[in-house]
Amino acid sequence: MTVTIKNAEDQERMRVAGRLAAEVLDMVGDHIAPGVTTGELDAICHDYIVSRQQAIPAPLNYRGFPKSICTSVNHVVCHGIPGDRKLKNGDIVNVDITVIKEGFHGDTSRMFQVGKPTVQGRRLSDVAHEAMRRGISIVRPGIRLGDIGHAIQTYVEANHCSVVREYCGHGIGRQFHEDPQVLHYGRPDTGLELQPGMTFTIEPMVNAGRRHVKLLPDGWTVVTKDHSLSAQWEHTVLVTQDGYEVMTLGASGEI
Ligand code: MF3
Ligand code: CO
Ligand code: CO
């Protein structure tokens, strides 16, 4: 396992890439409404990233992924491929944006409610959001990855939801997916010890039902086996001397 430590210059580039990714999410939120297709959201984001930000949408052609963003609706857990599916009132959708700028990646995703939110959709999104925040909040040198996983898992399970095991957060930098793997479940005081200069994502996938998932025949789309709703939030985080810095904050400044 080779975990890269980012120097001050690398960190500044990560900050730039992270800010750009968050700005795409700030922008796309205004376009999410009943009747809009996920393919239209992809086209809007692609144009914005390429033309306005002069950056690269990292998913496009990544290991054969065909689009520039991931859009995961309702029981889709992650890696949903944008297409002709029209969003409808009460849907929940995760939009996951990764951009490359000056050789560095920024990776972040949020949940959006389409039209009038449902109680279940809102609640699940809130549980996933708070789970991510709890994972982030304990980041500092000296803690271990298992502490992050444990913080997330205990919160999610206390709220009668489940954590997906097959997909995880990841180191990020010059590469989209670097070591280490950041599991969203685990035991305290286990796993890699954090050091200043590490950058990784925290991106728990939380299911309303059971944790089990299945991969659709398109080779990308991951869905819940029991068809229950799934939600995910993601930030890219830097370990600082005494804590953390979230590199993918949007204009609101809120985690
Ligand atoms: N952005 C996703 C993540 O958080 C990865 C998407 S890979 C893709 O790690 F190929 F589907 F884009
Ligand atoms: Co990620
Ligand atoms: Co992502």
Side-chain angles (χ1 to χ4, degrees):
M1 184 154 80
T2 43
V3 177
T4 62
I5 298 297
K6 277 73 182 179
N7 64 28
E9 194 180 317
D10 299 339
Q11 291 174 19
E12 189 48 39
R13 289 183 174 170
M14 290 291 295
R15 228 167 252 127
V16 171
R19 187 180 316 125
L20 291 176
E23 283 172 4
V24 179
L25 288 176
D26 286 348
M27 179 278 300
V28 78
D30 296 338
H31 296 272
I32 293 175
V36 175
T37 70
T38 53
E40 286 163 358
L41 298 179
D42 176 72
I44 291 165
C45 292
H46 178 94
D47 276 4
Y48 190 85
I49 293 165
V50 171
S51 306
R52 299 267 291 260
Q53 299 185 330
Q54 292 171 318
I56 298 167
L60 188 59
N61 303 318
Y62 178 79
R63 302 191 179 172
F65 191 79
K67 295 287 178 179
S68 295
I69 69 173
C70 296
T71 51
S72 302
V73 182
N74 294 342
H75 73 296
V76 178
V77 172
C78 63
H79 304 165
I81 303 172
D84 294 334
R85 180 181 188 146
K86 273 195 167 81
L87 297 175
K88 62 178 198 313
N89 196 39
D91 281 349
I92 59 172
V93 57
N94 172 279
V95 178
D96 193 340
I97 302 290
T98 312
V99 306
I100 311 170
K101 185 77 171 182
E102 312 260 351
F104 283 83
H105 291 71
D107 188 7
T108 182
S109 80
R110 297 181 200 155
M111 295 303 296
F112 296 91
Q113 310 281 327
V114 181
K116 182 172 154 26
T118 65
V119 170
Q120 308 93 288
R122 165 65 59 208
R123 178 177 170 273
L124 183 67
S125 171
D126 287 351
V127 171
H129 195 178
E130 177 61 16
M132 177 194 66
R133 286 200 204 98
R134 288 189 178 214
I136 292 172
S137 69
I138 61 171
V139 169
R140 62 178 168 77
I143 73 146
R144 293 170 177 265
L145 286 176
D147 298 322
I148 297 175
H150 183 73
I152 291 170
Q153 181 181 11
T154 51
Y155 178 76
V156 169
E157 292 178 354
N159 282 277
H160 310 290
C161 296
S162 63
V163 175
V164 171
R165 306 287 178 103
E166 289 82 354
Y167 301 88
C168 57
H170 49 92
I172 182 168
R174 288 192 178 276
Q175 306 295 321
F176 195 159
H177 295 109
E178 300 184 353
D179 287 335
Q181 296 197 45
V182 181
L183 304 183
H184 302 115
Y185 59 94
R187 284 175 294 117
D189 216 27
T190 63
L192 183 74
E193 185 179 313
L194 302 190
Q195 286 176 42
M198 289 179 176
T199 49
F200 53 82
T201 71
I202 297 180
E203 49 177 305
M205 283 140 276
V206 175
N207 298 346
R210 292 170 61 82
R211 67 175 177 80
H212 306 90
V213 300
K214 107 186 152 193
L215 182 64
L216 295 189
D218 64 22
W220 282 104
T221 310
V222 179
V223 299
T224 54
K225 241 185 203 165
D226 63 6
H227 277 70
S228 63
L229 288 180
S230 189
Q232 178 178 31
W233 290 74
E234 175 176 25
H235 275 305
T236 298
V237 173
L238 165 72
V239 183
T240 62
Q241 293 300 327
D242 59 357
Y244 63 87
E245 178 181 335
V246 176
M247 310 206 105
T248 41
L249 292 179
S252 77
E254 301 279 313
I255 295 176

